[in-house]
Amino acid sequence: MRPGRLAAGYATGAAVVAFVLAGVGALATVVGALGLVGIAVGAFRGRATLVTVGSLGQFGAVVAGGVAGAGAPQLVGAGAAVVVAWTVGRTATELRTALDEGADAHRLEATHAAGTTAVTLAAAGVAITPTVVSVEATPVGVGLLLVGGICLTAALALTTDHPT
């Protein structure tokens, strides 16, 4: 199996989860479906830009789902799934370009997918815990958590490995 296939499948699965959770109204369903196709095709074909555009489409579906009346746990879960789909999908495209076809990257792909899922679920848990334990979440706290997650993702994406 070519490097990136396992990650591409995992990214597609995460995109399906985001699609199901965010697809509350007609607009959210259509935008989410387009995003799902973008992530799947981009991850399997090695097109990082398509993965990013598909993820933006799915994020738009999460927003549209929120406007259509989806609950906070559902939206947080969908947002977390979009983050996992984007990160793992981008990894799939990078592995396809960086490694030879015969390289065995299954363990790397599985470890990255599991780690990304664990960190994202932890962040989603922190974001949704106040609503579950009947404590009112402040918009500032949720906003800061979102900004922190975006900054962390950007920092990880911009970091280059330099052998020392």
Side-chain angles (χ1 to χ4, degrees):
M1 195 160 58
R2 291 184 68 180
R5 285 277 181 199
L6 182 64
Y10 195 89
T12 302
V16 168
V17 170
F19 171 71
V20 169
L21 289 175
V24 178
L27 178 62
T29 301
V30 170
V31 173
L34 292 173
L36 170 61
V37 169
I39 290 171
V41 171
F44 279 106
R45 298 268 185 189
R47 307 285 191 263
T49 304
L50 193 53
V51 171
T52 301
V53 170
S55 297
L56 287 172
Q58 286 216 306
F59 178 72
V62 173
V63 172
V67 170
Q74 188 175 353
L75 294 174
V76 169
V82 171
V83 170
V84 170
W86 176 76
T87 305
V88 177
R90 292 287 301 225
T91 298
T93 63
E94 291 169 8
L95 289 175
R96 286 178 61 105
T97 59
L99 299 177
D100 294 332
E101 286 195 35
D104 184 19
H106 294 99
R107 191 176 306 166
L108 170 69
E109 294 175 60
T111 303
H112 179 267
T116 300
T117 302
V119 169
T120 305
L121 286 177
V126 168
I128 203 64
T129 297
T131 61
V132 175
V133 294
S134 300
V135 175
E136 192 169 321
T138 64
V140 174
V142 173
L144 288 175
L145 181 65
L146 177 63
V147 170
I150 291 170
C151 290
L152 176 62
T153 303
L156 292 173
L158 296 175
T159 302
T160 58
D161 293 330
H162 296 287
T164 54

